[in-house]
Amino acid sequence: MAEMSGGRPTPHVVVIGAGAAGSLSTLHLARRARRRGTALDVTLLDPAPYRARGTAFGTTDARHLLNVPASGMSALPEDPGHFVAWRARAHPDLRPEPGVFAPREQFGRYLDETLGAAFGDDVPLGLKHERVRAVGIRRVGEGLSVETGDGAEVRADAVVLATGERSPGVGWAPGALRDSAFFVPDPWAPGALDVVRRAAAGPPDVLLVGTGLTMVDVVLSLSGDDSRPDRRLHAVSRGGELPRRHADEVQLAAIPEIDDWGRTLADYRVRAADHLARVQRATGDWRPGADGLRTVVQALWQRLDEADREEFIRTDAGAWGRLRHRMPPTSADLLAALEAAERLTRVPAEVVAAEPLTGGGLRVTLSDGTARDVGWVVNCTGTSAAIVPGVDPLVDALLTTRGGVALARTGTAGLGLVTVDGRLRDSTGTTEAPIWTLGALRRGELWESTAVPEIRTQAAQLAGAVLDEVAPLPRRLADGRLVGGHHPRARPRDPLGLPLSTTAEAAASYNAGLERVMRLQSGGEQLLLEAVALDPGFAVAHAALAMLGHEAGADVDVRASLEAARTAARARADERERSLVDVVGRRVEDVRRSGATALMSHIARHPRDVLAVSAAVPTIAFSGVTDLQQEAWELVEGLAPAYGDHWWYISLLAFTRQDQFRLDEAGLLAESALSCEPTSGHAVHAQTHVLYETGKHDAGRAWLDHWVTESGRAASHRAHFSWHAALHELALGDTEAVRQRYYSQLAPPTVTGVRALIDSASLLWRWTVTTAGWDAAAGCTAFPGEAAPPPVECVIEAAGPDLVDHPETPFVALHAAVALAAAGDLPRLARLRDECQGSSELTTRTTVATVCDALLAAGEQEWGRAARLLADVLPGLPRVGGSAAQREIVEETLLFCLVSDGQAERALTLLDGRLDRRTSPLDQRRQASLRPPLGASV
């Protein structure tokens, strides 16, 4: 074993299995060790000649496709386009389409190359692939010894069981069939189907037992064989049903809220059926509902008792599998064509008997009373689910009691092994042995545990747990002493692992509150108040309250909380906690200058301080430290090493990507984050922008409304999500829906303060300039009978005079100007213009003041001057802050002014450019109104 600096031995992890699960585990171990600066040796034990292949990806048949789009197959959660980009490099003749169902052998090569790249020469990471089979594991001191099939032993500090799916079971087959030379028990065994393709004697037909995805692959392989043009394929299973078909285009998952779904299988059946029906009604398709269920199945499964789990396996698993494990559209089309040509038949039946035929082949009798003469029978029942003694010597050894203890025990219905977060629980119920597993061996614990998206998440989590065990980082105690990694944790920790100087009870309330802040949920301040009530000397909790009150509008006495934080920090806090308290104080006193500088300095030293990072990044909830997009982007990008694949960071990265108009990447990142945390408001916000900017207005409105009423029930800033939905409705020209949404979700007193200004008032002005006032401006009837928007005065009152007349930031000032323009209050708008011109903020003094001038000109119907001023400020508008969708209100106003001034050609040029970027029924109607058909009267 190699040595680390200081003479300590390099930790050695043995990964048993070199397929997808083993390769992903090894990849994430290497990446996590690299980020930590930790030396690590990994040995893969697997007799397979290649890494990253296994049963699923070892096929060389290009017709065997992934049953997940390429966009869902990245090995790296924080880079969901990684596999798509690899395909573009490896196959430059192919279009890099995220929605394509790629050949499985491509994914095997991709994963192998990605794994190899993780073990570079620049870091002390070692990787070996020993082509031997592991047959046993035993404890040796604090470590382990893995016994191999050749009689050797491999010592390890930790072991990862990544053995993947087990070979198909044949217990269903009559003895005469199992013993026949014309029976293929495992179609995935190397060369298993070659003999079927080459067979010239005997009946040409083939019987396929099972009608799931394995059958689909076998049909794809055998149907392309022209040597037996008279061959027909007969598929049988109990239900005789095929897997469902994937949609032709990737759709967003509609994730249900399951807090009130109960804890019984009977409850779940009713709730799941209702969920699928509602999604079908809203979107016209059940698939988004099924994909949403997939993200919560593990949580639902863990609520069920053993009896309900076993009943699900007996009665519901087949139907769920057909919904969940769908086939690619091209595969479905081919099977449909084969059935139409009667080259493929399906019947609901079971095999009850088999007898040999003279000259080769078998006569197989089915439970429906029919018999088939076939040349071959292929077992397509899929991989074996339950652990059966005598099949795998390694699993048998783990379940064997030695010294009164077996290292493992089986899970529900024999499905895998019992674990605690992936760590094996032994026969006494403890997790003493440093053995982890993932994938198929966790099915009893998680049910959904065999697809790459689930395995990837498990591999990333497992990597952190294994390294915490074999190479823990040094920890700083409350008195400042730095101790070795094996020292017990002296203090509770926050969700990202940072120590907290408080009691365990107060830390629990604080963590729950911080997690709500991370998810953009309401109620975080109440939990933080609980934390300081439990421990009045909890400095960080007091500081968090002050920050939420000052920057997010929480109902908190900011000054009192800040003073309590300072007092507590002097008595009991470490360097990170004292720094955070100082940052909050500076933000309260001077948010845009010294507060921003102090915050960035704190993040540089403590990048995993999520409260500080939340305040620094411009989002719905916080104003951030900068109005310059590039600086905000660099801040988020630079945090990648500290967060890796954590869902919260991926959510922020998704928002950054949409801001950069890297919309495909943003959408994939948002989906990845939501699959881990369906309540992530930042991920939903990013996805909402993607849907708007790509013109998916029907889908965007339906998806957003579903999220708000389901997973987003507890979301804070619901007004902003309602504003986004209203933008979709405006783009669709559905102003009656906008009216209903405004009065139910955006009108005061439901919305007050800054949200009333930024969401409600801006919506009413946009409504005016896009539809209500368009006909009069254009001199035509693009929007006949369009009613005026509701009055804006009550919204301005709900925002409050300080925000409207004395805004602190350029972004708020811009929206104050828009609100006053909507109200037609030109004197007050002029005073705001004067205030902006005297501002110390350059962007406020120039860009926002110019917008005020333009709106004043528009109010005086000086349309040409207003249009010139607005056109001048468009290039510098990003400096104001906010998103492209929010800043678009200036462009909408420019369009209105151009049309009002009779400058139809310039307005058409602007509309044409927008329609090149995204579809919009609204813009199409406006375009048509300015460019009527030849000979038509306007």
Side-chain angles (χ1 to χ4, degrees), residues 479-564:
D479 61 6
R481 289 183 296 120
L482 194 65
V483 298
H486 289 287
H487 193 284
R489 291 185 174 182
R491 289 182 286 166
R493 293 176 178 267
D494 76 2
L496 272 295
L498 297 179
L500 298 171
S501 300
T502 188
T503 65
E505 293 79 11
S509 293
Y510 173 83
N511 287 343
L514 184 57
E515 286 170 347
R516 282 184 169 270
V517 172
M518 293 166 68
R519 293 191 294 259
L520 291 185
Q521 289 182 319
S522 59
E525 59 268 29
Q526 285 81 12
L527 288 161
L528 294 174
L529 286 167
E530 287 181 17
V532 296
L534 289 165
D535 179 8
F538 191 178
V540 167
H542 285 297
L545 283 166
M547 183 172 282
L548 290 178
H550 180 255
E551 303 202 22
D555 186 14
V556 172
D557 186 333
V558 174
R559 291 291 175 182
S561 293
L562 179 57
E563 187 55 38

Side-chain angles (χ1 to χ4, degrees), residues 302 419-424 436-437 442 445 458 461-462 465:
Q302 291 178 324
T419 75
V420 177
D421 296 328
R423 188 165 182 166
L424 259 59
W436 283 261
T437 191
R442 293 187 69 185
E445 176 193 8
Q458 293 173 28
Q461 294 169 345
L462 171 152

Side-chain angles (χ1 to χ4, degrees), residues 53-62 64-65 103-106 188 221:
R53 300 316 197 264
T55 300
F57 307 112
T59 177
T60 58
D61 191 332
H64 293 166
L65 306 179
R104 292 207 297 271
E105 57 89 15
Q106 288 183 7
W188 300 118
S221 293

Side-chain angles (χ1 to χ4, degrees), residues 429-446:
T430 65
T431 55
E432 292 296 323
I435 306 174
W436 283 261
T437 191
L438 75 166
L441 285 176
R442 293 187 69 185
R443 282 194 73 192
E445 176 193 8
L446 303 173

Side-chain angles (χ1 to χ4, degrees), residues 852-871:
C852 290
D853 268 333
L855 292 172
L856 284 166
E860 298 289 349
Q861 298 189 8
E862 297 177 16
W863 304 115
R865 179 170 178 268
R868 287 192 299 275
L869 290 170
L870 292 173

